Amino acid sequence: VINEAFRVLRTNIEFMLGAQREQNVIVFTSFNHGSGKSFLAMNVAVSFAIKQKRVLVIDGDMRHGSTSAYVDSPEHGLSDYLSGLNDRWEELIVHDPKHDTLHVLPVGKMPPNPTELLENGRLPQLIAQLRSRYDFIFLDCPPIDIVADAQILERMADRTIFIVRAGLLDRSMLPELETIYQEKRFKNLCVI
């Protein structure tokens, strides 16, 4: 049942993108920690990798690194690239052992200044290089209302997938989500 749910989700994402295959950078975010952003990002990535699509998942939550845990939280990653400690992003990519077209860019060491690193200008350059190498790039972001990081990462994305988890999100927040959608604060916002 879960596998089929991810196949349906994959099909819906393909449908939303339509002929705009160059719009391949997608942000996963939410209002709350524990909403399942990393779980969804990784499983959607696997569903595309099964179809032999080249997929990169970037752990953009440089405060928790939940996606990095899927690849045993390597010591080096995005924080090394953004801080200039390693200019060769290829060396920081982790290849999934089960799916040869699935790659992960983990956080690496948790930086003391994640927002500043995300704003230093190196990430847009990296995303520009990666766009042509991958069919899909998924950015796993922190929740939008806690820190500014999600808004910074969203600037580089073509689409935003907003996660709402039943039993976790207070229903009083749903009008806020509608406002975010109506005001187009996030590009091509859709909800899971």
Side-chain angles (χ1 to χ4, degrees):
V1 173
I2 293 173
N3 289 339
E4 188 57 31
F6 280 107
R7 284 187 199 100
V8 169
L9 187 52
R10 176 186 68 202
T11 302
N12 287 340
I13 290 171
E14 289 174 323
F15 180 77
M16 286 186 303
L17 294 176
Q20 301 170 323
R21 293 294 177 195
E22 71 283 353
Q23 293 192 357
N24 62 345
V25 179
I26 300 172
V27 162
F28 285 75
T29 191
S30 69
F31 280 126
N32 311 88
H33 277 294
S35 61
K37 294 181 305 298
S38 302
F39 174 77
L40 284 163
M42 285 303 299
N43 281 285
V44 169
V46 167
S47 74
F48 277 106
I50 288 169
K51 283 185 69 176
Q52 295 303 304
K53 299 293 184 184
R54 293 167 299 145
V55 184
L56 174 66
V57 181
I58 299 175
D59 193 344
D61 190 345
M62 300 200 329
R63 297 165 199 275
H64 290 95
S66 298
T67 298
S68 298
Y70 283 91
V71 290
D72 299 324
S73 301
E75 194 172 312
H76 300 285
L78 181 62
S79 63
D80 294 278
Y81 178 81
L82 294 180
S83 64
L85 293 173
N86 189 335
D87 288 328
R88 298 190 43 82
W89 57 264
E90 299 92 341
E91 296 173 358
L92 304 171
I93 300 285
V94 177
H95 298 256
D96 183 85
K98 294 179 185 169
H99 306 94
D100 59 346
T101 61
L102 174 58
H103 302 154
V104 176
L105 178 54
V107 169
K109 292 183 194 89
M110 294 290 175
N113 57 341
T115 304
E116 289 74 18
L117 283 181
L118 291 171
E119 287 186 316
N120 71 10
R122 289 179 63 90
L123 188 58
Q125 295 169 1
L126 176 62
I127 297 292
Q129 291 177 50
L130 295 170
R131 275 184 186 273
S132 62
R133 296 180 188 233
Y134 290 95
D135 296 312
F136 295 95
I137 299 167
F138 298 131
L139 283 161
D140 182 18
C141 296
I144 64 167
D145 280 348
I146 296 173
V147 292
D149 300 6
Q151 284 89 349
I152 296 165
L153 291 165
E154 189 272 339
R155 290 181 212 148
M156 286 153 259
D158 303 307
R159 182 163 298 280
T160 303
I161 296 179
F162 200 94
I163 314 303
V164 175
R165 185 171 182 174
L168 182 65
L169 180 72
D170 189 303
R171 288 178 186 229
S172 66
M173 294 298 290
L174 289 175
E176 177 65 20
L177 181 56
E178 177 67 16
T179 300
I180 289 169
Y181 175 76
Q182 293 297 335
E183 293 177 356
K184 298 182 183 338
R185 282 193 244 163
F186 288 90
K187 291 186 203 98
N188 299 312
L189 180 69
C190 56
V191 176
I192 297 176

